[in-house]
Amino acid sequence: MSNSESKNTPSILLVDNDRNITSLLEGNLQSEGYRVMSVPTAEDALMLPLETFNLVITEIRLPGEIDGFELLDRMKEDRMTSHIPVVFCTVLDTENDIIAGLNSGADDYVIKPFSLREFMARVRSVLRRHRNFAPVATARTIEYRTLILNVDSRGLIIDGDTISLSPTEFTILTCLMRSRNKLFTREEIFATAWPGEEMNNPRLVDVNISRLRKKLGAYGQNIVNRSGLGYGFMDM
């Protein structure tokens, strides 16, 4: 496949910890020419550049602290991913489940077990409906209320004011904000901010987060430390 063809090929993300399901769907979607990636949790999905996918297919009942509903909410809140269609493919099969799923903003709702032919037809239909919808903005941003983190320019704006961050501070804040309400250990944060280095001084993480809190002003309280669990950017 040439580079130009690859760019025009729809890319689909599967979010499900059932490997039987993801293996089945990966094979069939790839056979139809789609590029496919799968992850087991919503937390893993939120660590990816979701704006690069054309469709997200997710189970509602997922391991971890974030379910399919919250993953959908996070995507709709972000201007770079709000246009991306989301399909629930789930074991939740009551009428109330279906109504709740569609009312939440999902583009379709598929109950397991399903007809593979019908599933593929639904995928084609959703992609066809969304073919001409793309984000107007080109800058990738992560936003929380009046806090705007620009991933491309590596800039931070709070209440309209530009805040200066060091490269390390920016990397840590991006990591925490991309997965709001998730806790990261010092080791995980260190591996992200100082890739390839040995963590000889774990206090480096604490010092940089302390500086971050001061620079974030009122938003500094959103960065919390749970003893024995780690740091996270939490909704307040």
Side-chain angles (χ1 to χ4, degrees), residues 61 90-98 109-113:
R61 189 175 284 171
T90 178
V91 295
L92 302 180
D93 60 358
T94 71
E95 182 179 10
N96 287 338
D97 290 328
I98 298 170
Y109 194 103
V110 180
I111 298 170
K112 301 174 183 175

Side-chain angles (χ1 to χ4, degrees), residues 11 36 53 80 155 167 174 207 218 233:
S11 182
V36 187
F53 292 94
M80 289 306 298
T174 302
V207 169
F233 191 99

Side-chain angles (χ1 to χ4, degrees), residues 160-214:
D161 296 325
T162 299
I163 309 298
S164 177
L165 296 179
S166 71
T168 299
E169 291 165 351
F170 183 88
T171 299
I172 292 174
L173 183 59
T174 302
C175 171
L176 298 181
M177 289 192 65
R178 269 185 170 152
S179 296
R180 291 204 319 270
N181 301 312
K182 176 183 177 181
L183 293 172
F184 293 87
T185 64
R186 284 187 178 89
E187 291 77 12
E188 289 172 328
I189 295 172
F190 188 92
T192 298
W194 292 272
E197 296 186 26
E198 288 189 24
M199 193 173 73
N200 296 319
N201 183 6
R203 294 294 297 170
L204 276 174
V205 173
D206 301 326
V207 169
N208 276 273
I209 286 183
S210 178
R211 287 204 302 258
L212 256 181
R213 282 173 169 154
K214 292 178 182 177

Side-chain angles (χ1 to χ4, degrees), residues 45-165:
L46 290 167
M47 295 295 287
L48 299 172
L50 288 174
E51 68 277 4
T52 63
F53 292 94
N54 301 97
L55 172 64
V56 173
I57 301 170
T58 181
E59 169 64 79
I60 294 175
R61 189 175 284 171
L62 293 167
E65 297 181 1
I66 303 177
D67 64 9
F69 284 121
E70 186 170 348
L71 174 60
L72 173 61
D73 288 342
R74 297 278 188 93
M75 291 180 63
K76 297 306 179 187
E77 288 172 358
D78 188 328
R79 70 173 67 176
M80 289 306 298
T81 57
S82 61
H83 68 289
I84 298 173
V86 174
V87 171
F88 285 141
C89 180
T90 178
V91 295
L92 302 180
D93 60 358
T94 71
E95 182 179 10
N96 287 338
D97 290 328
I98 298 170
I99 292 172
L102 295 175
N103 283 343
S104 70
D107 291 81
D108 205 344
Y109 194 103
V110 180
I111 298 170
K112 301 174 183 175
F114 49 80
S115 158
L116 191 55
R117 287 183 62 194
E118 179 185 351
F119 180 89
M120 299 300 291
R122 290 192 183 202
V123 167
R124 288 191 291 269
S125 177
V126 170
L127 287 171
R128 198 161 47 240
R129 292 199 306 267
H130 285 262
R131 184 174 298 152
N132 297 322
F133 289 87
V136 176
T138 57
R140 290 179 297 151
T141 61
I142 304 172
E143 302 182 21
Y144 178 78
R145 297 178 183 170
T146 60
L147 188 159
I148 303 173
L149 196 64
N150 190 309
V151 178
D152 293 319
S153 68
R154 301 182 72 80
L156 172 65
I157 297 175
I158 298 177
D159 296 323
D161 296 325
T162 299
I163 309 298
S164 177
L165 296 179

Side-chain angles (χ1 to χ4, degrees), residues 5-12 29 32-36 52-55 123 127 131:
E5 289 175 325
S6 178
K7 289 180 180 178
N8 292 325
T9 301
S11 182
I12 298 174
L29 289 167
E32 293 225 355
Y34 301 117
R35 288 178 291 135
V36 187
T52 63
F53 292 94
N54 301 97
L55 172 64
V123 167
L127 287 171
R131 184 174 298 152

